[in-house]
Structures are given as C-alpha cells and as structure tokens.
C-alpha cells in the first residue's frame, strides 16, 4: 500500500550554511569526523533499533566526501540492507535526487510516507511504527510530533523535556502521484500547511545539543531520569555509560529549567495561537 522513507542530509554543500553557532567553518575534515561520531553514537543506533523495520533510510552525502569517510560510512550502514547512501552534488541536487530515487523505487505503491531526521539527532524505537499508524490513505497529510527531549552532551550533560511545533522530525503521507516528499520545504514552513495532524501523547524524538550545532541551544526542562528513557532511545553503549555517569542532577540547573520551561511553552502557545487565528498563510 505504501513505501516509507526516512531521509537524512549529511554533509551537503550549502551556500547559505557555512559556519556553526560558534563561527567555526563547516564541512571541514574536523567537522565531518565529529559529525560521523555523533551519527555513530546517537542517530544510527536509534534508527537501527526501530521496532518496525518496514522502511528505507536514505542518507545523502556530498560527492566531495573524502574516500576514508566514504569507507567509514559504508562500513557503518553495511549491516542494514534497508539503509542506503547516495553521493550528490550539494543541496541544489538534494530534493531532485530524493524524487528520482523514490519515483523509481515506489512505482508499485499508491502511497508514500517520507520522514526526516538530522544526522546528529535520535528517535524513539517506536517512531517509525507510530508514523505508519497514522496512515489512512490520505492524499496529503503532514504528521507533526510535538513532544520530545533535549539532551546536551557537551560541555556539560543535561537532559530535559522539549516541545517543538513544526519541528525537524516531521513526516508526510501523500498519494504517489508526482509526490513532493517531506523535504520539498524547510520544516518550519509546515506552519503554513492546513493538512496536518499532531501527535502530542508521546515523546518520540531527542534533539542532541553539542558545540557544533548550527543554531540549536539547550532548552530542555524538568527532571528527566536517563534510566527511565534509555530503553526507548537507543544510543551506543559508550554514550549510555557517559550519560549515566556524568549527567548533571536537575537540582543543579533548576533555575535554567524553570526559564526553559517558560520559554518553550511560550513559543509553543504563540505558534499555536498564530496558526489558529490564521496569521500563517494557508496553502
């Protein structure tokens, strides 16, 4: 009935994205080595351990990727036949490359589902399953999972709850007739879409905050016990041990938690209100 594709961009050249939030140059060998390490420890194990494996993971790398990195990437995904690496000419070729592959691969399927995940983030083991449970032969329907967690891994380790509407973990169900795919627009542009449902009863994603993020800052809140969620968000053994042993107790950042809770909920309610009163132009 449908094919489901999880789609990730990795080191694609982008003229509008050239420095980290610390003004460090992107796409250097140092940046790539750091990003592969995050991928190995967070993103890959969380996707590899999905309870539902009826999907393909499409990973897009730049054609300029160094040979040793290509070898490392291929070795990481080799155990998983439903994970596929593509090498393309920068962000300008990204969306067309997605559509070219999906058009050929899914021609026997009347519907497709496309989901997105950044290469340094993490998803709940039931993420794929939950998305597919929303399928009801919709011609076009975005799926926005509002709730997740925020995990800062450097310089200090902190974990908190997070709400984010129109977030980078969005999915799209659509009829397989010249499909747009979830990547046809940036994730925050889904605020303009009326054909959208929200999942707000589960926390299904974890945003990983580190020193080389482009934009994200830690804005988690409340006291979340790592031991309560680590069986649902599968990370590497090394990271599991590191977080368990070095996470900062909530009582030591309680004031920051309070400020973050106010901020996160203010932003969420503000966006919901703007959506409700029609301040975002509907497509």
């Amino acid at each position: 009935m449908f094919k489901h594709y999880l789609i990730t961009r990795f080191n694609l050249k982008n003229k509008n994205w050239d420095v980290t939030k610390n003004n460090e140059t992107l796409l250097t060998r140092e940046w790539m080595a750091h990003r592969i390490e995050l991928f190995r420890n967070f993103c890959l194990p969380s996707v590899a351990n999905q309870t539902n494996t009826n999907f393909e993971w499409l990973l897009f790398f730049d054609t300029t990727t160094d040979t040793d990195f290509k070898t490392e990437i291929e070795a990481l995904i080799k155990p998983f036949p439903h994970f596929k690496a593509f090498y393309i000419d920068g962000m300008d070729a990204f969306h067309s490359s997605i559509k070219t592959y999906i058009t050929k691969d899914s021609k026997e399927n009347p519907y497709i589902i496309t989901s997105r995940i950044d290469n340094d983030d993490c998803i709940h083991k039931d993420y794929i399953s939950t998305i597919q449970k929303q399928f009801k032969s919709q011609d076009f329907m975005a799926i926005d999972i509002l709730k997740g967690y925020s995990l800062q891994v450097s310089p200090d380790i902190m974990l908190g709850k997070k709400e984010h509407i129109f977030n980078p973990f969005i999915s799209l169900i659509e009829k397989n007739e010249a499909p747009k795919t979830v990547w046809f627009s940036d994730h925050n542009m889904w605020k303009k879409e009326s054909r959208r449902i929200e999942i707000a009863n589960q926390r299904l994603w974890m945003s990983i905050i580190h020193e080389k993020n482009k934009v994200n800052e830690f804005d988690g809140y409340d006291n979340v016990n790592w031991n309560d969620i680590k069986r649902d968000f599968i990370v590497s053994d090394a990271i599991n041990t590191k977080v368990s042993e070095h996470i900062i107790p909530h009582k030591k950042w309680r004031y920051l938690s309070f400020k973050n809770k106010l901020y996160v909920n203010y932003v969420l309610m503000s966006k919901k209100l703007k959506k409700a009163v029609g301040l975002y132009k509907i497509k």
Side-chain angles (χ1 to χ4, degrees):
M1 180 62 74
F2 62 79
K3 285 289 293 277
H4 190 177
Y5 303 93
L6 182 65
I7 305 171
T8 297
R9 63 183 175 186
F10 213 96
N11 62 332
L12 301 180
K13 295 191 301 294
N14 186 344
K15 60 187 177 183
N16 297 317
W17 188 47
D18 55 3
V19 294
T20 70
K21 65 187 179 186
N22 296 326
N23 272 331
E24 296 172 335
T25 303
L26 288 168
L27 306 183
T28 61
R29 282 189 58 84
E30 179 188 3
W31 180 93
M32 187 64 172
H34 179 260
R35 192 54 64 114
I36 289 178
E37 196 63 19
L38 289 168
F39 176 74
R40 181 202 311 274
N41 283 308
F42 294 99
C43 194
L44 177 62
S46 77
V47 177
N49 285 281
Q50 288 296 294
T51 56
N52 181 341
T53 58
N54 181 30
F55 71 100
E56 288 187 14
W57 193 10
L58 313 183
L59 296 129
F60 288 85
F61 301 85
D62 204 90
T63 52
T64 60
T65 303
D66 290 343
T67 301
D68 57 333
F69 288 138
K70 286 184 179 180
T71 300
E72 186 173 2
I73 290 159
E74 298 295 341
L76 286 172
I77 67 173
K78 186 177 180 180
F80 312 101
H82 56 308
F83 296 178
K84 303 180 187 301
F86 300 83
Y87 297 89
I88 63 173
D89 189 15
M91 276 299 296
D92 289 343
F94 182 42
H95 191 232
S96 61
S97 298
I98 293 171
K99 293 185 70 173
T100 297
Y101 176 78
I102 288 178
T103 297
K104 181 179 180 181
D105 183 69
S106 66
K107 58 185 177 182
E108 303 300 325
N109 301 92
Y111 294 90
I112 67 164
I113 304 173
T114 49
S115 302
R116 49 172 292 166
I117 182 174
D118 290 341
N119 57 48
D120 56 346
D121 286 332
C122 188
I123 50 178
H124 189 286
K125 65 183 181 181
D126 292 330
Y127 172 90
I128 292 292
S129 178
T130 303
I131 295 299
Q132 292 186 9
K133 286 176 182 176
Q134 311 307 309
F135 177 77
K136 295 179 176 64
S137 300
Q138 302 99 321
D139 286 352
F140 192 95
M141 184 63 68
I143 304 167
D144 198 356
I145 302 172
L146 266 60
K147 295 182 178 181
Y149 296 100
S150 182
L151 174 64
Q152 178 177 289
V153 295
S154 61
D156 299 313
I157 299 177
M158 294 185 286
L159 171 65
K161 298 175 184 175
K162 174 73 183 286
E163 282 75 48
H164 189 181
I165 196 170
F166 321 125
N167 63 59
F169 301 89
I170 203 156
S171 294
L172 178 64
I173 299 169
E174 56 186 323
K175 202 166 188 177
N176 195 7
E177 296 176 358
K180 291 184 175 182
T181 83
V182 72
W183 275 100
F184 88 95
S185 181
D186 192 58
H187 65 86
N188 61 12
M189 296 306 293
W190 289 101
K191 64 189 178 185
K192 301 180 180 180
E193 178 56 62
S194 59
R195 297 163 293 179
R196 179 181 146 272
I197 56 177
E198 296 179 358
I199 297 176
N201 62 344
Q202 296 172 274
R203 295 189 181 274
L204 293 174
W205 47 262
M206 184 181 294
S207 181
I208 308 302
I209 309 301
H210 52 89
E211 67 272 14
K212 295 187 186 300
N213 282 120
K214 169 62 175 172
V215 176
N216 292 351
E217 302 281 354
F218 178 73
D219 52 9
Y221 68 88
D222 276 2
N223 186 9
V224 179
N225 189 326
W226 173 250
N227 290 327
D228 291 341
I229 69 169
K230 66 181 183 181
R231 293 177 183 84
D232 294 326
F233 291 86
I234 311 301
V235 298
S236 70
D237 290 342
I239 290 298
N240 184 23
T241 299
K242 181 179 179 180
V243 173
S244 297
E245 293 180 353
H246 299 289
I247 191 167
I248 296 178
H250 179 256
K251 63 183 180 181
K252 292 190 176 182
W253 58 280
R254 187 175 290 133
Y255 179 62
L256 175 61
S257 173
F258 175 72
K259 290 198 303 179
N260 285 351
K261 187 171 186 176
L262 292 178
Y263 170 75
V264 167
N265 283 280
Y266 168 76
V267 172
L268 178 66
M269 291 301 105
S270 175
K271 289 182 177 180
K272 278 180 167 285
L273 179 61
K274 289 178 181 178
K275 181 75 172 172
V277 301
L279 292 183
Y280 296 133
K281 185 178 178 181
I282 303 299
K283 291 182 180 179

